[in-house]
Amino acid sequence: MLRLTLLLLAITATRARMNVLFLVSDDMRPELTIFEGKDFPSPVHPPIHSPNLDALARKSLLLKRAHVQQAVCAPSRSSLLTGRRPDTTHVYDLQAYWRDVGGNFTTIPQYFKEHGYRTIGSGKIFHPGTASGYNDPISWTDPYFHVGKEADNFVYKEKVTWLSVPMDLLKNNSLADTQNADYAVNMIRQAAPQARSGERPFFIAQGFFKPHLPFVAPQMFFDMYPESSISLPPNLYAPDKMPVIAWSNYSELRSGYVDLEKFHISGDINTTLPNDVILNLRRGYYSALSYTDYELGRLIQEVENQGLANNTIISFWGDHGWQLGEHGEWCKHTNFELATHAPMMVHVPGLTDKGIVTEELTEFVDLFPTLVEAAGLPPINLCPENSTNVLVCTEGTSLIPLITNPASPNWKKAVFSQYPRNEYNGDQMGYSITTDHYRYTEWVKFNLQPEYKPDWTQVFGVELYDHYGDPQENKNLAYDSAYSAVVAQLSKQLHAGWRAALPK
Ligand SMILES: [Ca+2]
């Protein structure tokens, strides 16, 4: 009898295990209605059409002030997916694989796999290619599915920066994100029976390429944004007294996607693109964002169709922000708020159904311990100072306490991002700390292997932005003597690092 009771208990426990739908977008800044308010520094935009993300946010813990650890694909994704910061993964570029250069760190899907989940991935979760050992096969129970961006070539013959795809062209062909979403929808159907019976829960991850350049989307999404609805950014010039090293010359946009030579655009500070190009880029970006929202909605709907809505955690994040002409700056590759602030939300059935908004500062490394706690898997310990040989640990903090107390007095009071310059030989690093009031950055000498440490005594530039009075970061106050005490205090906090900022 006792054995039967234990067995029943075990079955019940198995049935209670939640699935995970893990949704990722590429280069999507948090310019959604649900993020509006004082947090988004560029409110000049048309109404954004993102009904599916809006609906997900209304039943999620919405992290309104989540910051990435480094504002470019592979470093940000490697950091989030291993729960460790770039100075631990040692991934600062688009080539290095953390298992080669940092340590054999367990990833989020791998951890769920090791606890009996069926783990299925498609599209862009890890940065593809060498940066993930080709989609990190050890993370998945099923072969990774990946239709690449080249699948979109049927809609354009030469490189484009933005393109509205006529609907007729899509009758017999699909864009890459649609194809990857089709696969994920099908896998939800396939995995559902075992998930429903409690035999085997799933962790299904789907990464979208959009709204990353080129801004290619079906015409119906461009139609949502009439040209007359698009505005120029409110601040077309670099911050006053910005050190040169803070600037990125947006070579990604200039070299890869549009012939800017005729405009004589150098990417230099305070040289802007022609207004019509800026407006087209902004319109294309919003259209690609809405296309992503549409595809992502199909996956959420399928979870509901399969009767699994009450038993499936859904997380969503974009891998970093994007500069859409503000400061005359484009793409990511900086430590500005627009580059490090990114969207994140987590739906946990039974816990977040009414929608919880937190304005506390959070970080992308926080997601790993959050999903683990939400799913009831064995919790993950804080990493020791040197975690090279520790397979599973976290440099983040579970966000679950913010569900019951979204304005927690016992939460971290600062978050950290970084960005290298001369990133392929790692000469300098910009370390940035964001508090409720300020963003403060020091650009310093950085020693690559074996140290992977900054030399705080060799400084190439300092920035201080007052987010209360200047949320768009238009005035660098670091060299203003009136702020010398603030600079001294934040410098001390920056050097003390993320561990010192953890709640006591
Ligand atoms: Ca990206």
Side-chain angles (χ1 to χ4, degrees), residues 117-135:
Y117 278 66
R118 183 174 177 186
T119 58
I120 299 168
S122 68
K124 182 174 174 181
I125 306 295
F126 298 98
H127 192 73
T130 58
S132 58
Y134 300 88
N135 296 313

Side-chain angles (χ1 to χ4, degrees), residues 45 85 88 102 122 130 210 281 307 343 363 455 468 501:
H45 58 67
R85 294 162 198 266
T88 303
S122 68
T130 58
K210 298 299 160 200
L281 283 166
E363 299 177 289
D455 177 352
Y468 286 0

Side-chain angles (χ1 to χ4, degrees), residues 487-503:
V487 166
Q489 175 60 34
L490 287 169
S491 179
K492 199 173 151 190
Q493 275 182 262
L494 181 67
H495 297 183
W498 63 270
R499 281 178 196 276
L502 291 178

Side-chain angles (χ1 to χ4, degrees), residues 25-28 72-74 77 124 127 212 318-322 332:
S25 171
D26 200 358
D27 288 22
M28 188 189 287
V72 70
C73 293
R77 289 166 187 254
K124 182 174 174 181
H127 192 73
H212 192 293
D319 61 349
H320 46 72
W322 224 79
K332 46 269 190 180

Side-chain angles (χ1 to χ4, degrees), residues 8 21 38 45 170 188 250 287-288 366 372 379 456 494 499:
L8 282 171
L21 180 63
K38 66 181 173 64
H45 58 67
L170 298 169
I188 292 169
Y250 52 92
S287 305
D366 297 335
V372 165
W456 298 114
L494 181 67
R499 281 178 196 276

Side-chain angles (χ1 to χ4, degrees), residues 432-484:
S432 195
I433 178 172
T434 301
T435 64
D436 182 57
H437 195 159
Y438 297 105
R439 169 184 293 279
Y440 174 75
T441 305
E442 289 185 11
W443 295 90
V444 295
K445 176 89 171 72
F446 184 73
N447 300 309
L448 262 174
Q449 55 186 331
E451 295 93 352
Y452 295 98
K453 286 206 165 88
D455 177 352
W456 298 114
T457 66
Q458 294 193 55
V459 183
F460 301 97
V462 183
E463 295 169 88
L464 174 69
Y465 301 103
D466 179 346
H467 283 174
Y468 286 0
D470 178 28
Q472 294 176 357
E473 301 186 331
N474 290 328
K475 287 180 195 157
N476 177 18
L477 303 169
Y479 303 105
D480 182 335
S481 59
Y483 287 84
S484 56

